[in-house]
Amino acid sequence: MDSYDGLGAENGNGASDPGAEQCEEDASDAGQEPEPGSRSGMAGLSLPYQIVAALALSVIGLVACGQLAMVFLHVAPSNTLTKRHGEAVDEWIYPEFEQNWKLFAPNPLQQNVALHVRAEIAGPDGVRTTRWMSLSAEDGKAIRGNPLPSHVHQNQLRRGWDFYLNSHDDENRANGLRGELSERYIRRMVMLRLGEHDYGGTVQRIQVRSEVRSVAAPPWSTEKISTGPSYRVLPWWTVTDADLPANAEGADQ
């Protein structure tokens, strides 16, 4: 009993408890500032080494930025910079950093392509030929200012004309069945558009042409680009019942 009382009295009289001392030491250590020699990273280096490390990081950053710029120019569509510095870009890229992909697939068009049509109309006064009408201009008018333009106005002419070009040679000769299908598609599309106009007679024949103009160079470029039109004129097509779409009411008016 005395021993227990003595132990309790000793503790109650403020004798040092090992656990309490350890907590006090930890708290005092936590409040102390680290010594100068214990700093990590670049801050722990001497001034000369800090300068060397900063220069090394700067060089690595510049090389990385240069690499990204060269790869971007290599995979980007042809532009003023690549035309002027293309050899330098190729020397940097090949052969170690060669890329087999392009930034845009396919590359953006650098030409404005418009589709025109004219027709032979048989009326009370005989047969007459209309002026060239720009179907692309009509689609453009329908798209401008429209927050939700129709996909027909945006893509029908372009896709139809691409279909025709890919299935015909330079002499407008069809390459098999796809060529015949593309011709039929163009005819029906044109007759559908002509049906929206009243020419005072019956459409007997139609002729289609494309007008291609290169996009002008930007003002800051010294590149000289001809923006004059070039035309591809298709032969006259005689309109048949198969060329009249089912919903083209009045197409033969």
Side-chain angles (χ1 to χ4, degrees), residues 42-52:
M42 290 184 59
L45 301 175
S46 61
L47 181 60
Y49 284 104
Q50 289 183 8
I51 295 175
V52 173

Side-chain angles (χ1 to χ4, degrees), residues 62-80:
L62 291 175
V63 172
C65 292
Q67 170 70 10
L68 291 176
M70 289 297 187
V71 172
F72 174 81
L73 292 175
H74 178 68
V75 300
S78 178
N79 54 72
T80 303

Side-chain angles (χ1 to χ4, degrees), residues 147-163:
L148 298 173
S150 168
H151 283 286
V152 172
H153 294 145
Q154 295 182 79
N155 299 316
Q156 186 182 52
L157 290 179
R158 178 179 60 84
R159 297 293 298 273
W161 186 244
D162 287 344
F163 183 24

Side-chain angles (χ1 to χ4, degrees), residues 117-136:
V117 63
R118 64 179 178 177
E120 279 189 358
I121 307 296
D125 299 331
V127 178
R128 60 185 178 85
T129 302
T130 66
R131 61 178 178 82
W132 287 105
M133 179 180 65
S134 177
L135 302 179
S136 300

Side-chain angles (χ1 to χ4, degrees), residues 206-236:
I206 57 175
Q207 188 176 32
V208 178
R209 75 177 184 184
S210 66
E211 179 189 83
V212 180
R213 294 177 182 268
S214 298
V215 177
W220 46 265
S221 173
T222 59
E223 186 177 6
K224 303 298 182 181
I225 298 178
S226 175
T227 58
S230 62
Y231 297 96
R232 176 167 179 170
V233 183
L234 305 188
W236 283 95

